[in-house]
Amino acid sequence: MEMLRNRPEVTAASFLLCALASLVSARAEQSGGILPAERLADWTPGVQVGVPGGIPNNRTNLIDVTKAPFNADNTGQADAQPAIMQALAKAGENDVVYLPAGTYRVNGPVAVNKSKLTIRGDGPGKTIVMAYNSGRGGAIDVYFLTARGGWWDGKAPKLKILGGPKRGATVLSVEDTKALEAYPDGGVGQLCQLSLKNDPQLPVLAPANYDYLRKQKSRIVAKTANSVTIAPGLLFDLPETLEPYLSPGGGYIQFTGVEDLTIDGTHSQTRHAPLMMQQAYGCWVKNVSIVNVPNYHLWINESVQCEVRQCHVAKRNKPMGPDGAGLLIGGCSFILAEDNILAEAFPNIEVNSTSGSVFAYNFCDDKAVQGDLLGGSINTNHAGHNSYNLYEGNVAPKIQCDGYHGSASHDTLFRNWIHGTSAHTKQFWVCVNLNRFTRCYSLVGNVLGRKGHEWIYDAGETPFHYGQHLIYALGFPNMGNGGFNGTAQLSQNKPWADWEKMATLEHGKGPGPGGFQELDLDVRATTLLKGNFNYKDGGVPASEALNGATLPASLYLKAKPAWFGELAWPAFGPDADPESHKIPAQARYEALAK
């Protein structure tokens, strides 16, 4: 592993720099030394992840869309979208656009492009937004309208970052900030994207040979002639050799939320999610049910510090297939998705090009099926490069980092119950499937498997097949592939057969997802396994022993959250039996099934 030891982010100097960041260091102490600081981030809710300060609960000025002059129809017979749009146009800061109980047919998207307001119903099943749209957009779209270029369209300026700032840094030296003067308030307040060239030694790569794959979103909070201050700070180092740069976003919507209603896609024909959130900061979706959709359910894109909680997404209105995630997170940072039910989607959660986020205490049912395939359920990477995301306390059939479009690193899986079973498929029943290009993953204190099955601890270097129940499969090629052709280990100077060819290909061209079919041995070599209870051994195997260390209850919460009620916390771990413990989302799901 000499090549990995010589990487800047794992040198002793960078480890000490990480330790100087007090919150990250504190979390390393909380983990009892099980997790080194270089693998942790600050995931404090309401500060670092989720809505800053929490979702507001003091918005009481209601604008009733059914009253004059709007007169929205709530019988489901006439198109209510124009009336709701009129109410949105009238709404002021901190107002609530209120949809009383009833059914609101919308033939086109309700476009929400105002900051600091709430769309609120009387509760799921009481207020129903019925989508009839067939074109672009969903039923409710929360996004920022701007004529200025942003990072997403390639028209934003690229401010070269100097000096190789380390993770945790908030003040970034740049050549100059003149280009920001074209933006409102001189760029202060803008969301921004931080990008750097692919590091082939980690590796950061895409089989299609796209560069600048590893990114982070943040927000510009101050500037001088030659510096930009961001918050939250850097999740990873930005060495000058990888030519990092900062790009502004061109505008955003902030502190706007959707609450207490159902969106029903039974009559929708669009491929777009019925609830979309884009270029958003501090926005949220709370207590919303999204059902019967053609494809995706809830999509948050190119956003920072947004929150999804106590939602229920379920069911497709067509046969299960691809492009149907329940919760799709793309190009985001510092998201909090907590206490949600995700059912009958493929996969339940899909995370792409996202960093520094928390996915916690979500219940994913066992119907994430495409034909006879058990989907990733929680797919931690379908489009790289993801890093420093925390998955804690979730219940799911399977967690997969699929390696299909690119790499991922430094994610943590903590105290989840990944049971690896389904009543709907005979396909590979694998609890944890970390495919090629996965690096520095940490699996600590999870419960893996379920009673009543014959388990294999690790696929090792043996192709696996239908009907087998595996705790781990590490380093196999892209998703849906239980075999391989030879082996690769970049840290030992044994690259993939496609590796040299990649260097001569043009940007955006490459072997594609069907390339790189060797078993990636560095997945296993960089994966940390500690304190995971599995049903093959009936306990924690000796190779994963904690050696006297005590697991913390959480890596992001200071104490049992009030919304856990009387349920035991922590719910899962070698010290907590998943057969007798439940998370709140699981209890709600089981109550619905009765």
Side-chain angles (χ1 to χ4, degrees):
M1 297 295 291
E2 198 61 37
M3 188 176 293
L4 290 179
R5 290 195 187 102
N6 291 334
R7 285 190 44 73
E9 62 252 66
V10 293
T11 61
S14 78
F15 183 89
L16 291 174
L17 284 169
C18 293
L20 290 173
S22 60
L23 286 170
V24 175
S25 179
R27 297 209 182 279
E29 292 177 8
Q30 288 173 6
S31 75
I34 301 168
L35 285 163
E38 68 191 35
R39 293 195 177 212
L40 292 166
D42 175 14
W43 295 300
T44 305
V47 177
Q48 192 82 356
V49 300
V51 177
I55 295 173
N57 57 11
N58 58 351
R59 295 181 178 177
T60 57
N61 186 44
L62 305 183
I63 299 176
D64 189 332
V65 301
T66 64
K67 293 182 178 179
F70 317 113
N71 301 317
D73 177 77
N74 68 346
T75 69
Q77 300 302 306
D79 185 8
Q81 188 260 10
I84 298 172
M85 290 298 296
Q86 290 173 22
L88 285 167
K90 183 178 179 180
E93 198 168 288
N94 295 318
D95 281 347
V96 176
V97 176
Y98 172 51
L99 281 65
T103 299
Y104 298 82
R105 172 175 179 154
V106 294
N107 293 348
V110 175
V112 185
N113 50 45
K114 272 188 175 181
S115 291
K116 299 182 181 178
L117 61 81
T118 301
I119 296 179
R120 183 184 299 157
D122 276 329
K126 297 178 180 178
T127 297
I128 301 170
V129 177
M130 187 68 71
Y132 278 79
N133 51 319
S134 59
R136 186 173 180 83
I140 300 177
D141 291 350
V142 179
Y143 66 99
F144 186 81
L145 291 173
T146 177
R148 297 188 183 277
W151 64 70
W152 59 88
D153 61 11
K155 297 179 180 179
K158 297 180 179 180
L159 280 62
K160 184 177 180 181
I161 298 173
L162 307 174
K166 301 292 185 181
R167 64 186 303 246
T170 56
V171 180
L172 310 178
S173 296
V174 297
E175 287 183 325
D176 67 66
T177 57
K178 292 179 182 178
L180 295 178
E181 294 302 321
Y183 293 85
D185 299 317
V188 175
Q190 287 281 306
L191 300 186
C192 63
Q193 177 170 279
L194 306 144
S195 307
L196 70 167
K197 279 189 171 181
N198 292 352
D199 183 347
Q201 293 188 29
L202 185 51
V204 177
L205 63 89
N209 207 31
Y210 287 103
D211 207 349
Y212 282 92
L213 196 67
R214 196 176 194 189
K215 311 176 185 73
Q216 175 192 329
K217 302 297 192 299
S218 190
R219 185 165 171 260
I220 300 171
V221 296
K223 68 169 187 174
T224 68
N226 298 103
S227 72
V228 173
T229 302
I230 62 169
L234 294 181
L235 287 163
F236 43 82
D237 297 349
L238 299 179
E240 273 194 288
T241 54
L242 297 180
E243 301 180 24
Y245 65 82
L246 178 151
S247 287
Y252 60 93
I253 186 170
Q254 62 177 334
F255 298 111
T256 287
V258 181
E259 303 175 350
D260 303 330
L261 50 82
T262 289
I263 300 176
D264 192 318
T266 298
H267 304 286
S268 175
Q269 299 177 40
T270 180
R271 289 179 58 83
H272 294 264
L275 180 50
M276 300 177 66
M277 190 169 283
Q278 182 163 301
Q279 290 169 251
Y281 166 68
C283 294
W284 66 92
V285 183
K286 179 184 177 183
N287 193 31
V288 171
S289 178
I290 306 172
V291 295
N292 304 321
V293 304
N295 292 90
Y296 302 110
H297 292 75
L298 171 56
W299 184 11
I300 300 180
N301 191 42
E302 306 291 348
S303 297
V304 176
Q305 289 186 286
C306 293
E307 193 162 328
V308 181
R309 65 168 47 253
Q310 205 176 341
C311 292
H312 181 190
V313 302
K315 299 181 181 178
R316 303 271 296 275
N317 64 16
K318 66 179 185 180
M320 201 68 70
D323 301 328
L327 174 60
L328 178 63
I329 306 292
C332 297
S333 292
F334 310 109
I335 303 296
L336 175 59
E338 184 179 67
D339 189 28
N340 302 290
I341 298 170
L342 303 113
E344 298 174 73
F346 182 70
N348 299 125
I349 299 173
E350 180 179 329
V351 185
N352 299 323
S353 304
T354 289
S355 56
S357 297
V358 173
F359 302 87
Y361 302 99
N362 302 295
F363 180 78
C364 302
D365 84 342
D366 66 350
K367 297 178 183 177
V369 180
Q370 179 188 7
D372 195 34
L373 300 181
L374 176 60
S377 189
I378 299 178
N379 192 330
T380 66
N381 174 47
H382 186 56
H385 183 97
N386 298 312
S387 59
Y388 289 105
N389 298 311
L390 171 65
Y391 299 84
E392 177 178 305
N394 302 287
V395 178
K398 179 178 179 180
I399 280 186
Q400 181 166 19
C401 183
D402 75 33
Y404 193 75
H405 290 297
S407 52
S409 67
H410 297 89
D411 285 350
T412 297
L413 282 58
F414 184 74
R415 283 192 180 275
N416 303 281
W417 182 22
I418 311 301
H419 52 76
T421 60
S422 171
H424 303 274
T425 179
K426 297 178 182 178
Q427 205 250 0
F428 314 135
W429 293 0
V430 184
C431 297
V432 179
N433 194 354
L434 305 182
N435 293 100
R436 64 186 185 185
F437 316 147
T438 305
R439 295 292 184 273
C440 302
Y441 260 48
S442 301
L443 282 71
V444 177
N446 301 283
V447 176
L448 306 174
R450 177 177 254 159
K451 292 179 181 177
H453 299 281
E454 185 176 340
W455 292 96
I456 299 170
Y457 174 73
D458 189 347
E461 298 184 23
T462 303
F464 51 95
H465 53 78
Y466 273 50
Q468 290 184 320
H469 289 71
L470 292 93
I471 302 298
Y472 299 115
L474 305 176
F476 286 81
N478 52 283
M479 62 187 300
N481 194 341
F484 57 92
N485 182 20
T487 63
Q489 191 165 17
L490 194 61
S491 67
Q492 300 299 321
N493 296 314
K494 186 181 179 182
W496 296 268
D498 301 312
W499 191 250
E500 293 299 328
K501 181 181 177 182
M502 286 281 286
T504 64
L505 292 171
E506 297 178 15
H507 173 79
K509 295 183 179 180
F516 297 91
Q517 291 300 300
E518 294 87 344
L519 183 72
D520 183 354
L521 297 179
D522 275 333
V523 176
R524 180 181 309 280
T526 63
T527 299
L528 186 153
L529 303 173
K530 288 291 183 183
N532 298 297
F533 177 102
N534 76 74
Y535 279 91
K536 167 67 169 67
D537 296 285
V540 177
S543 61
E544 300 186 28
L546 290 170
N547 297 321
T550 301
L551 285 174
S554 173
L555 291 179
Y556 81 106
L557 296 170
K558 293 182 178 179
K560 178 180 177 179
W563 45 268
F564 244 79
E566 296 181 358
L567 294 175
W569 187 80
F572 312 124
D575 52 357
D577 178 15
E579 303 288 350
S580 58
H581 289 183
K582 296 178 182 179
I583 56 175
Q586 179 181 0
R588 296 198 306 273
Y589 181 80
E590 291 176 354
L592 287 170
K594 291 181 179 179

